[in-house]
Amino acid sequence: MRITNKVMQNNALTNINRNKTLQDTLNTQLATGKKVARPSEDPVVAIRALRLRSDVSQVSQYVDKNVSDARSWLELTESAVKTTVAVVKDMIKQCEKGSSDTLTTEDRKIIIDSLKELRNEVYATGDADYAGRYIFTGYRTDTSLSFGEDTTQKFTVTELFNENDITKETYIDTANLTEIDEANYAQGGDAAIVEQDIASMDYYRVRLSYNNLDAGQTLQSLSIGGTDYAVTTMEDTDAAFNEAATNPDAVVFIPSTGEVLFGANMYEAIKNHEGDIQVSYDKTDWLSTDLRPQHYFYCTSQDEEGNTIEYNPDYLTDNSISQKIAYQVGFNQEIQVNTYAEEIFQHDIGRDVDELIQYANELTAAEEVLVKLEGMAKDTDSYSEDEIALINKDLAAADKAVTLMKSQLQEKFSHYITKMQSYLDDTDEALTVVGNRGAKLDLIENRLTDQKTTFRTLQSENEDADETEVAVLLSSAQVSYEAALMATSEMIQKTLLNYL
């Protein structure tokens, strides 16, 4: 092969250009700190870099965003549940005070007022929210747990019960004792109510989740094990209780108190049925503290345009509402962050307090009559001997009624200690579940943090250039470049023409 000066010049320029290219590459690595600037420089490094960057990005999303949000939700839930635990404990203490048989009317009023405030605090805690999303309302995070203000909206609500939800209750018939006043005797009327007129009678009932239901309505349905039953609606509560206590085949609905009453025979028949007790009813007027039915039951309502809105159709088959909100906190790993309202904020808490208020008011009214009759029995100037004898009969009846009602209220307080303890157990269980989720999240976060560190280390090893090594190579390349320039300059100074 003949080597000419032109060939030597071209080779020299090519080598010098390669040296300059190397210097440019090394200079870019030193400036950017990366091994490659373009995938074509090293496809293997580029592909590995894309995979590692994807892994780092995913882990960073889990650790910095998803885990953080899940932790905030769980911490807020835990705080709310702890508050509820404390409030229910206070309610238990108030019930323990109320179970004393030495209480005066004023003492009971103080206890009842305290229970009302504690009840309202429980439901207010259920409206806790995280970043504008209510945390106990399942998928309906934009809807508060309670109404928040008195409102009018008609709902048709369907509740499911079983035979364990039927309780045996006692009704004390006071025979219109509280309607007695001085005018009965002054007019010579026969106002006598004897002790035998005061009686306590047993009946069975299912207490619905709401009271003050739409007046005048008949139940939309009452189905037991798939069998429909005829129901008598009664607005007069005393007449309704008497009917259920004296008619063994009675099925009575009281809209004002939200109760379905059963006679003894009906109760036995219900026990022999298989399946749930399904009750459907209408309610339009809601108080601010009422819990929204769409968070608990199957119900329907209408929007402003008259369209029917259906809530929770699965409730009719599952007797529960499952609306799990889960965060993806790892590769193929998620954690539930929400707690269902029905696990903590039960309607019975408010209904129990309302019932205690009712019993306390009835007892207070009976005690007022008793005090009035005691004063009248001593007023021999205003009443004749026959009238005094009549008053004494009423007085004995009033004393019996007050004794029975005091015993009933005391028993209710004692019974509600057990019920409140049951609510507390449910709340403690929910708190434990939230704590377990938080502990699980801690483990996941620690593992993800380790993975993030490992991926970043691998990413650095794959992409980052060794600055010391690159600097040495760049310096060597520069020396080689300068030497090449000197050698080339000497070589191209002489040609064949110099020797001709």
Side-chain angles (χ1 to χ4, degrees), residues 170-408:
T170 300
Y171 165 66
I172 298 176
D173 185 2
T174 59
N176 298 322
L177 179 70
T178 56
E179 297 179 6
I180 294 177
D181 57 25
E182 292 86 343
N184 295 114
Y185 305 97
Q187 295 171 3
D190 185 5
I193 299 175
V194 297
E195 288 186 61
Q196 289 78 3
D197 294 331
I198 308 299
S200 60
M201 298 176 285
D202 294 333
Y203 64 94
Y204 299 89
R205 74 154 187 206
V206 164
R207 187 177 66 184
L208 306 177
S209 294
Y210 302 101
N211 58 7
N212 297 323
L213 308 181
D214 292 356
Q217 68 169 309
T218 56
L219 279 182
Q220 292 288 335
S221 69
L222 174 62
S223 173
I224 303 173
T227 302
D228 293 331
Y229 283 83
V231 182
T232 302
T233 300
M234 302 184 72
E235 301 288 349
D236 186 332
T237 55
D238 288 330
F241 292 134
N242 265 300
E243 175 68 13
T246 58
N247 180 1
D249 297 319
V251 182
V252 181
F253 169 54
I254 312 177
S256 60
T257 63
E259 294 174 288
V260 181
L261 314 181
F262 302 99
N265 290 347
M266 276 303 304
Y267 172 66
E268 292 299 325
I270 291 171
K271 288 201 303 182
N272 294 327
H273 270 293
E274 292 185 0
D276 292 323
I277 304 169
Q278 181 174 305
V279 184
S280 298
Y281 55 88
D282 293 334
K283 180 173 173 61
T284 301
D285 297 322
W286 304 90
L287 299 177
S288 60
T289 54
D290 284 337
L291 300 176
R292 293 180 182 269
Q294 62 263 46
H295 299 313
Y296 292 86
F297 312 112
Y298 171 76
C299 56
T300 58
S301 183
Q302 290 187 331
D303 59 19
E304 296 178 354
E305 284 133 16
N307 300 315
T308 299
I309 305 173
E310 186 180 36
Y311 301 94
N312 313 314
D314 292 341
Y315 171 82
L316 296 178
T317 54
D318 298 339
N319 197 3
S320 64
I321 299 174
S322 178
Q323 296 179 346
K324 177 181 177 182
I325 298 178
Y327 274 71
Q328 192 78 23
V329 292
F331 299 100
N332 298 320
Q333 192 169 22
E334 63 179 25
I335 188 168
Q336 181 177 344
V337 297
N338 69 318
T339 300
Y340 304 131
E342 64 181 11
E343 298 176 13
I344 305 173
F345 307 103
Q346 303 175 27
H347 291 80
D348 280 349
I349 295 177
R351 298 286 271 136
D352 289 345
V353 173
D354 289 340
E355 224 168 60
L356 287 174
I357 294 172
Q358 173 193 337
Y359 286 126
N361 289 339
E362 291 175 355
L363 174 57
T364 299
E367 287 178 331
E368 290 173 353
V369 172
L370 178 63
V371 171
K372 183 188 297 183
L373 290 172
E374 288 175 341
M376 293 168 60
K378 297 176 183 178
D379 188 2
T380 55
D381 295 333
S382 301
Y383 300 100
S384 65
E385 291 184 5
D386 291 340
E387 290 172 333
I388 292 295
L390 195 61
I391 291 172
N392 283 325
K393 289 182 179 180
D394 290 340
L395 181 60
D399 185 63
K400 179 181 179 181
V402 168
T403 300
L404 289 174
M405 295 172 78
K406 275 187 176 181
S407 176
Q408 182 186 45

Side-chain angles (χ1 to χ4, degrees), residues 107-126:
D107 292 335
R108 284 194 296 272
K109 286 183 178 179
I110 293 173
I111 292 174
I112 294 297
D113 288 341
S114 297
L115 285 172
K116 287 171 63 178
E117 292 301 320
L118 291 171
R119 181 266 314 271
N120 293 340
E121 179 61 26
V122 168
Y123 291 160
T125 303

